Amino acid sequence: DVEHATTMADVDAREGAEDATDRRRRALRRAEAMKLKRYQHDGHRRRIPGTGAPFPLRAKTEALGVECPGLGLYFASLPLYVAVLVLLGLLATYNVVNNYRADNFSHTYQLRDMDEGKHTCQRDYAVANFVLRGTLGNFCDDVETSDPFYCPATCTARPQSTPCVEQEDEQGDPCHASPPCGGDRQTCCCDMELDRTKTKTPNNAQYWIMYASLCVYCAWLVLLFHVEKRKAARYRASLVSPVDYTVLVQTRSKRKRQPNNRNLYEFFSHYGPVANATLVLQLGKLLEKAKRL
């Protein structure tokens, strides 16, 4: 019994290994069939079976588009994408440089306490970096694009029922007693507002460049549409596929007996050579519903 059980276990293991090998073989065949290959074509622009070969690295987009129109359009459109990125980048360079030169961020702010006294306080966090200085908010002239926590600002202390002496340091620094409000701190703090006396005005050329960039982008979209449309038509015209010589015929026969494939083949052979004739039931209703959708 022990030897018989061992033999059966060996058989099961061998069958499992054979199944795994067969699945791997089928997976490799599917992967090979899904590879994009370059085929030779006959005089009627039809693929010659068995002539598939991998594309070289220097393959042209026209050759890729014949075998796979989507991939051909992708590589054909890459130069247009690079061109528009370079052009828009050059247009945006002036705005970025102009914003960077404004350099209106401040490491200090003015604290106005309850006694109408003013104190200059240092910010204990990083104020300016390369990214923020390249934005329009560096001019500090608009509450929608500028942040008072980075720009010159006045911080007005909120009235309190009791003095905020517990936050003062040994020298009684009012900046520590009333830091800017935010987050969980809503008492013994001050409200930040932009200091309108220290703002800068952006150059009007920046707005014109923004409008010009938008016009360039819209014109590029129109150009991309026409280029891809023309190339897609060229790809489709350079290859003959089964769709080009397949005819779908819908009939509403009143006969109870439906025709078979042989009847269809013989009937349509009167009009010319027929490679194959297949009867597809209920296809007309399916097409009608698809059209309604």
Side-chain angles (χ1 to χ4, degrees):
D1 295 338
V2 176
E3 293 180 357
H4 178 69
T6 303
T7 303
M8 292 301 297
D10 294 340
V11 172
D12 293 339
R14 191 181 304 110
E15 291 179 353
E18 292 177 356
D19 292 341
T21 303
D22 189 51
R23 288 196 299 268
R24 182 176 182 273
R25 190 181 298 110
R26 290 197 302 268
L28 291 176
R29 285 200 301 265
R30 287 196 300 267
E32 184 66 22
M34 294 176 62
K35 289 182 179 179
L36 182 64
K37 296 181 179 181
R38 179 181 55 179
Y39 288 88
Q40 297 180 7
H41 301 85
D42 57 15
H44 299 284
R45 299 177 299 172
R46 293 175 298 190
R47 290 179 179 175
I48 301 177
T51 61
F55 278 94
L57 293 178
R58 297 183 178 181
K60 297 182 179 180
T61 58
E62 298 292 336
L64 290 173
V66 170
E67 304 298 339
C68 181
L71 190 61
L73 289 177
Y74 171 77
F75 283 104
S77 303
L78 278 181
L80 293 177
Y81 280 97
V82 173
V84 72
L85 286 177
V86 172
L87 183 57
L88 293 179
L90 292 176
L91 291 175
T93 301
Y94 175 82
N95 290 359
V96 174
V97 172
N98 196 22
N99 295 337
Y100 191 85
R101 289 180 177 177
D103 197 16
N104 202 25
F105 287 144
S106 176
H107 294 274
T108 62
Y109 65 93
Q110 296 295 322
L111 173 63
R112 182 181 301 167
D113 56 21
M114 299 303 300
D115 299 330
E116 296 299 329
K118 291 187 177 181
H119 311 275
T120 300
C121 303
Q122 292 288 334
R123 291 185 167 118
D124 57 353
Y125 50 86
V127 174
N129 56 49
F130 180 79
V131 176
L132 293 178
R133 291 179 64 182
T135 62
L136 197 61
N138 198 11
F139 288 92
C140 300
D141 69 327
D142 188 2
V143 294
E144 295 183 359
T145 59
S146 304
D147 193 342
F149 284 88
Y150 297 123
C151 296
T154 300
C155 198
T156 305
R158 291 183 178 180
Q160 304 294 332
S161 57
T162 57
C164 300
V165 295
E166 66 276 5
Q167 297 184 14
E168 296 184 6
D169 57 4
E170 297 178 356
Q171 290 77 22
D173 187 358
C175 297
H176 288 191
S178 298
C181 298
D184 297 334
R185 186 186 299 276
Q186 299 298 329
T187 59
C188 294
C189 58
C190 60
D191 296 315
M192 298 285 286
E193 294 181 357
L194 286 177
D195 189 352
R196 296 293 185 176
T197 62
K198 298 181 180 180
T199 60
K200 295 183 179 180
T201 304
N203 192 342
N204 291 332
Q206 291 201 43
Y207 300 104
W208 288 107
I209 291 178
M210 293 174 61
Y211 293 139
S213 301
L214 182 60
C215 294
V216 169
Y217 180 70
C218 293
W220 175 81
L221 288 178
V222 175
L223 176 63
L224 179 66
F225 173 77
H226 287 286
V227 169
E228 290 189 344
K229 183 179 179 181
R230 184 174 64 254
K231 287 185 175 294
R234 186 185 307 168
Y235 296 157
R236 289 193 298 266
S238 59
L239 179 65
V240 176
S241 62
V243 179
D244 298 319
Y245 51 81
T246 300
V247 179
L248 178 63
V249 179
Q250 181 180 5
T251 178
R252 296 184 179 181
S253 177
K254 297 181 179 180
R255 296 184 301 174
K256 294 182 179 181
R257 183 180 178 182
Q258 292 288 345
N260 53 29
N261 295 345
R262 185 64 183 178
N263 299 140
L264 292 177
Y265 181 86
E266 294 177 352
F267 178 80
F268 286 102
S269 294
H270 295 285
Y271 301 96
V274 178
N276 186 26
T278 303
L279 181 64
V280 183
L281 300 178
Q282 304 297 330
L283 184 59
K285 294 182 179 180
L286 179 62
L287 292 177
E288 291 179 0
K289 292 182 179 180
K291 290 179 179 179
R292 293 194 188 101
L293 294 176

